[in-house]
Amino acid sequence: MAPFRRGTKTRGESALRGRGSTVSRGRGRGRGRGNSTAAKGQKSAFYSTRVEEVREDVSENDQATTDESVDEQDSLSDSSEDDADLAAVSIVKPYNTLLQSLNQIVHHEHPPLKKRRLAPEHGVNGFLRLPTAVAIEQPNEGKDLDFVEEPELDGNISSNEPDEDDGFGPEVDDSHDYFYKHFTAVDEKALTTCAKDAAESRWTTQRSAIQSEWKLYNASYKSLPVASELATRPMFTIKDFQLKHKLQTKAKQGIPSDNGLNRILASCIFSYQDLLFCDRLPTVASDLRTLTCLHALNHIFKTRDRVIKNNARLSKADTTEDIEYRDQGFTRPKVLIILPTRQTCHKVVESIISLCEPEQQENKKRFQDSYSQTDDDFSPDKPEDFRELFGGNDDDMFRLGMKFTRKTVKYFSQFYNSDIILASPLGLRMAIGTEESKKQDHDFLSSIEIVIVDQTDALLMQNWEHVEYIFDHLNLQPKETHGCDFSRVRNWYLDGNARFLRQTILLTAYNTPEINRLFGHNMLNIAGRVKICKENYEGAMLDFGIQVKQTFSRYDAPALTADPDARFKYFTTAIVPSLTKFSRAHSTKGQGILVFIPSYMDYVRVRNFLANSTSTQNISFGSISEYTSVRDVARARSHFFSGRHSILLYTGRAHHFRRYLLRGVHKVIMYSLPDNPLFYREIVEGYLTRSVSEGTIDVTDASVRSFFSKWDILKLERIVGTKRCAAMIKEKPGDTFDFL
């Protein structure tokens, strides 16, 4: 059975569509759109008139339905009954008959009707329940949209015939094919040496530039030469990628020939190098999606055809010959794609389908209903990155298996029967289970050879621990055989070295320490790893609509683990006294100070301090976090705008998921710089410019104060610019930098 069994879904149940559902998702938007139900207190017309009439008649007589039918026949035969009684009986009889027929169809498992009160479990107050077929259809709450009821098949690949004219036969020279060189022609001694280098973090890195806009770091193990020259080669032809014949035409259309960056990225991807690309913007999202999906399909098709052809060779070989073909892993899934929302998953699947153009698609309607949603109610002021991420179905709990045959693509295939697994971190974490769970299953990740993580920066705002948990369970030795033919398993799988052959592709809008750690500890590819970042950042603090005084203060933090305590100490000793003094001078009209806190843990610490410290007892404040209810958010915004609250605490995740347009902001304090430079611009320029344009403050009174340490260099560079950042980091702690 699939590792994500959580419930059953019967035919006819409505799928939960839209943003979120009634099931708790943890951190997320939780809009709850799409689950259409009847209005509160509203009943079906049939239920409220006809059936109640029958129930009332039954309660008066206190008899079973069979006895009522006899009484009705007697009344009809009695000539003394008047016409009104005849009319009443003629109305009741058809609906009693209807109830009997529905009871026989829907509740045929119930005991036969008798001349006595039914057991409590069969009705209300001893009488027959209304069949569910008559009642209003209830929403499919609590059901698993991705549930799969499919048996696990033995072996990795079915016996389908390979594609005709696939361009990948024995007559082709495999020595020029990156698929063959990376996975088949593996030097066992070199692999053992690389494993030792990885344990001791011995890497050699070369730096180069791409069109003077990006910097490229190409790293390889010290025991090996630079893994590939592809990363530094400016141009590459489609023919050099050794694509399947059926994908070549689409590849020419999907990879622009005049885009040097795309060709560099394609060179890294198709040569099976690890890749971290730190400039993934909505403008290039479509091209990157095409590249990664094309590579995933090419890998799946080559793996499938090689196994099938070797199966044919073995079937024709002499039984006395000792022939060995090691061309498989422990399980069938080879590609894992991690995505933030169902709508982004839908976009990836659409790209895959447009590239391979299958003749048949199984469960397509179910996929469309569960993953796609076209209606959006965004206000015109929402930024482009917000629309791309949260447009459509923004549910962040899903997992989907896709199985490929020669002519067919099947959605919702069982994990162990799938070629590609698409999932969110939360969905895959729930499929794996916890360490304490007896049903924990991660064997379906044991043979993953390509991992693609798109919009990695968005995953930081969900729960990054889920991402780390998934990578920790990749390419582990399976607990069960799952029908595996171990005589066909590659040696480096059996030796536990699959993680050194796995390719990982991370696409993110910006780099962070968490992503850097994943790059350094989990991307151990023997082919090397490449990081591409912007060469120079101009800075998000520039080109505001108004001139705002921006102050950056540096504090000292001797170690990364001591940084949260050092930041809090600086806030309480250098910032809070000025807030207390300022509140006394503006006690009647409020200060209008917005304190932006990216981390929820820091937010809780600051909130408790303001609420409990004797030094802040004269300060009134409100707070908005990702967990604040809609009602409390409206109250906090209203009190802050009216001046009833002098200070408003505002978390980074609340801004990420909602992008509130706060009014009444006079000053901004950045407790910590945001990872996303767009947040700095939206908060500083957007909020303060609005206050100035509304006339609530003069432009000279608007200001921003931020503080940082040497551990915030990545954030600082994106906000103040590369050149300014270098000078500010070199200065001594305690220095202050003012910009206008």
Side-chain angles (χ1 to χ4, degrees):
M1 300 297 288
F4 46 89
R5 299 288 189 272
R6 295 175 53 203
T8 59
K9 180 175 181 179
T10 59
R11 187 176 180 180
E13 290 176 345
S14 59
L16 287 176
R17 299 181 59 188
R19 298 177 180 150
S21 69
T22 57
V23 181
S24 176
R25 306 294 189 201
R27 287 192 180 117
R29 293 168 56 79
R31 292 188 164 197
R33 291 184 51 187
N35 297 333
S36 60
T37 59
K40 186 175 181 180
Q42 192 174 6
K43 295 186 292 185
S44 168
F46 177 80
Y47 179 90
S48 61
T49 58
R50 304 302 185 189
V51 177
E52 286 183 350
E53 181 180 349
V54 176
R55 282 188 166 183
E56 185 177 9
D57 182 73
V58 172
S59 62
E60 291 174 356
N61 293 280
D62 194 22
Q63 291 182 347
T65 310
T66 54
D67 293 332
E68 295 169 5
S69 300
V70 175
D71 294 337
E72 290 165 8
Q73 292 177 0
D74 293 337
S75 64
L76 287 174
S77 62
D78 191 354
S79 58
S80 63
E81 294 290 332
D82 57 10
D83 294 341
D85 292 332
L86 276 172
V89 172
S90 64
I91 292 175
V92 172
K93 179 179 177 180
Y95 288 101
N96 284 335
T97 305
L98 175 61
L99 283 176
Q100 289 180 0
S101 62
L102 288 175
N103 182 53
Q104 293 173 359
I105 296 173
V106 181
H107 293 284
H108 56 274
E109 72 277 11
H110 288 176
L113 295 175
K114 298 181 180 179
K115 193 175 179 180
R116 62 177 177 82
R117 296 172 65 91
L118 296 175
E121 64 269 17
H122 295 298
V124 180
N125 296 327
F127 298 113
L128 182 66
R129 285 184 190 270
L130 180 68
T132 56
V134 181
I136 298 174
E137 183 179 358
Q138 296 298 323
N140 186 20
E141 298 181 359
K143 297 295 184 181
D144 187 356
L145 294 179
D146 301 323
F147 172 75
V148 176
E149 189 171 0
E150 177 183 86
E152 178 184 336
L153 302 179
D154 291 338
N156 279 278
I157 305 294
S158 62
S159 58
N160 295 334
E161 292 297 325
D163 299 335
E164 297 179 1
D165 191 22
D166 59 4
F168 191 70
E171 67 278 0
V172 177
D173 185 6
D174 286 339
S175 61
H176 298 291
D177 184 17
Y178 297 108
F179 174 83
Y180 173 81
K181 290 192 294 185
H182 187 73
F183 293 104
T184 303
V186 179
D187 188 345
E188 298 294 338
K189 293 183 179 180
L191 188 60
T192 303
T193 305
C194 290
K196 296 180 180 179
D197 288 345
E200 300 176 3
S201 299
R202 294 188 298 181
W203 293 83
T204 300
T205 304
Q206 294 184 357
R207 187 184 186 278
S208 58
I210 305 175
Q211 300 177 346
S212 301
E213 296 184 34
W214 298 274
K215 51 187 177 182
L216 183 149
Y217 299 94
N218 190 8
S220 62
Y221 289 108
K222 281 191 174 183
S223 58
L224 297 176
V226 175
S228 176
E229 297 180 358
L230 298 178
T232 59
R233 193 178 299 182
M235 297 295 294
F236 231 91
T237 62
I238 299 299
K239 183 179 179 181
D240 294 328
F241 296 150
Q242 292 289 324
L243 295 174
K244 293 282 296 180
H245 179 73
K246 63 188 299 183
L247 299 175
Q248 291 180 7
T249 302
K250 292 293 183 179
K252 293 177 182 178
Q253 301 173 358
I255 304 177
S257 58
D258 58 344
N259 192 321
L261 176 62
N262 275 353
R263 292 197 171 272
I264 294 295
L265 293 174
S267 301
C268 300
I269 291 172
F270 285 95
S271 61
Y272 287 95
Q273 289 182 292
D274 285 345
L275 174 65
L276 170 58
F277 181 60
C278 302
D279 197 23
R280 188 247 183 239
L281 303 177
T283 54
V284 299
S286 179
D287 292 341
L288 293 174
R289 192 180 303 119
T290 300
L291 274 176
T292 52
C293 291
L294 181 67
H295 179 52
L297 284 174
N298 189 56
H299 182 79
I300 292 298
F301 292 162
K302 287 190 174 184
T303 300
R304 177 172 63 92
D305 288 352
R306 182 173 290 273
V307 172
I308 293 174
K309 288 182 177 181
N310 287 341
N311 289 343
R313 295 187 183 109
L314 286 173
S315 63
K316 297 177 182 179
D318 189 351
T319 56
T320 60
E321 299 181 22
D322 187 11
I323 302 177
E324 184 179 68
Y325 292 107
R326 295 199 173 270
D327 50 11
Q328 302 179 14
F330 296 113
T331 55
R332 178 165 180 163
K334 292 294 181 290
V335 178
L336 173 64
I337 304 178
I338 302 177
L339 303 163
T341 66
R342 286 182 180 264
Q343 195 66 41
T344 56
C345 179
H346 183 267
K347 293 178 182 178
V348 171
V349 171
E350 279 189 330
S351 181
I352 291 174
I353 296 302
S354 66
L355 289 171
C356 65
E357 296 181 335
E359 296 182 10
Q360 299 177 358
Q361 301 181 46
E362 295 186 28
N363 301 325
K364 180 179 180 180
K365 185 180 184 303
R366 177 186 172 187
F367 171 74
Q368 294 288 349
D369 293 343
S370 302
Y371 281 78
S372 179
Q373 181 176 308
T374 56
D375 58 321
D376 290 321
D377 56 353
F378 297 140
S379 58
D381 49 29
K382 297 300 182 184
E384 185 179 6
D385 68 309
F386 181 88
R387 294 175 178 273
E388 184 201 16
L389 178 59
F390 296 113
N393 191 337
D394 61 3
D395 184 8
D396 63 351
M397 210 292 288
F398 64 92
R399 57 257 192 250
L400 174 71
M402 293 185 68
K403 178 182 178 180
F404 293 82
T405 59
R406 188 166 64 91
K407 296 182 179 181
T408 305
V409 171
K410 181 178 181 180
Y411 306 102
F412 300 101
S413 59
Q414 210 259 18
F415 269 8
Y416 289 98
N417 303 336
S418 303
D419 297 295
I420 299 178
I421 296 175
L422 304 97
S424 66
L426 176 60
L428 200 57
R429 175 69 182 268
M430 294 184 68
I432 296 173
T434 61
E435 298 291 347
E436 297 79 12
S437 175
K438 296 181 179 180
K439 296 183 179 180
Q440 185 188 33
D441 184 11
H442 50 75
D443 290 354
F444 58 90
L445 300 176
S446 62
S447 302
I448 294 295
E449 295 173 350
I450 297 177
V451 178
I452 301 171
V453 186
D454 195 11
Q455 293 181 276
T456 311
D457 52 296
L459 303 183
L460 288 166
M461 290 294 179
Q462 293 182 358
N463 193 331
W464 187 251
E465 291 182 0
H466 294 337
V467 178
E468 294 177 334
Y469 186 86
I470 292 169
F471 272 88
D472 290 341
H473 289 79
L474 287 174
N475 302 121
L476 300 180
Q477 296 291 327
K479 298 179 180 179
E480 300 179 9
T481 60
H482 302 284
C484 174
D485 182 1
F486 287 93
S487 65
R488 301 285 295 275
V489 177
R490 302 181 192 272
N491 290 324
W492 41 268
Y493 271 116
L494 300 174
D495 295 336
N497 291 325
R499 59 192 179 117
F500 299 110
L501 279 299
R502 184 190 71 233
Q503 181 189 30
T504 304
I505 301 172
L506 302 182
L507 306 176
T508 177
Y510 48 83
N511 197 10
T512 67
E514 294 86 357
I515 297 176
N516 258 340
R517 184 182 184 279
L518 193 69
F519 178 78
H521 288 76
N522 296 92
M523 300 170 69
L524 307 173
N525 197 337
I526 191 175
R529 59 192 186 194
V530 175
K531 181 192 298 184
I532 299 178
C533 308
K534 291 193 68 174
E535 181 71 37
N536 289 293
Y537 287 93
E538 295 297 328
M541 60 179 289
L542 302 179
D543 301 328
F544 287 168
I546 58 175
Q547 282 191 343
V548 179
K549 181 181 179 181
Q550 303 177 62
T551 302
F552 295 84
S553 301
R554 181 181 173 184
Y555 64 90
D556 184 30
L560 180 61
T561 55
D563 186 69
D565 293 334
R567 188 187 307 275
F568 181 73
K569 181 179 179 181
Y570 184 85
F571 176 77
T572 56
T573 57
I575 304 299
V576 171
S578 62
L579 298 180
T580 305
K581 181 179 179 181
F582 194 71
S583 64
R584 295 172 182 171
H586 299 75
S587 58
T588 58
K589 60 180 181 180
Q591 304 179 54
I593 297 178
L594 177 70
V595 181
F596 179 77
I597 310 176
S599 170
Y600 182 79
M601 297 302 176
D602 290 335
Y603 157 80
V604 172
R605 193 174 189 180
V606 172
R607 182 195 62 188
N608 293 343
F609 175 80
L610 294 179
N612 301 323
S613 177
T614 56
S615 61
T616 59
Q617 59 185 357
N618 294 326
I619 298 179
S620 62
F621 72 98
S623 60
I624 298 177
S625 73
E626 56 268 35
Y627 300 111
T628 307
S629 65
V630 176
R631 182 178 180 180
D632 291 340
V633 168
R635 182 186 295 109
R637 295 176 67 179
S638 176
H639 290 349
F640 181 71
F641 177 65
S642 64
R644 185 174 178 178
H645 286 164
S646 298
I647 298 175
L648 180 64
L649 306 182
Y650 188 39
T651 65
R653 278 190 171 91
H655 188 73
H656 170 77
F657 288 113
R658 300 298 179 184
R659 304 292 173 94
Y660 293 117
L661 295 179
L662 303 179
R663 302 177 64 187
V665 179
H666 301 170
K667 299 180 183 296
V668 177
I669 295 177
M670 293 284 179
Y671 185 85
S672 177
L673 296 174
D675 285 314
N676 192 341
L678 296 178
F679 288 6
Y680 186 88
R681 176 174 291 275
E682 291 169 0
I683 292 173
V684 176
E685 182 183 27
Y687 296 171
L688 293 180
T689 300
R690 183 173 186 176
S691 297
V692 172
S693 63
E694 291 178 348
T696 57
I697 59 169
D698 188 78
V699 65
T700 57
D701 296 330
S703 64
V704 183
R705 182 165 185 182
S706 309
F707 38 101
F708 66 95
S709 69
K710 63 181 180 180
W711 308 107
D712 298 323
I713 183 172
L714 293 177
K715 307 176 186 178
L716 187 66
E717 180 185 17
R718 292 188 287 268
I719 293 176
V720 304
T722 303
K723 295 181 180 179
R724 299 181 188 88
C725 176
M728 295 168 67
I729 289 295
K730 292 179 181 178
E731 296 295 334
K732 297 179 180 180
D735 290 342
T736 300
F737 307 87
D738 293 327
F739 301 94
L740 287 176

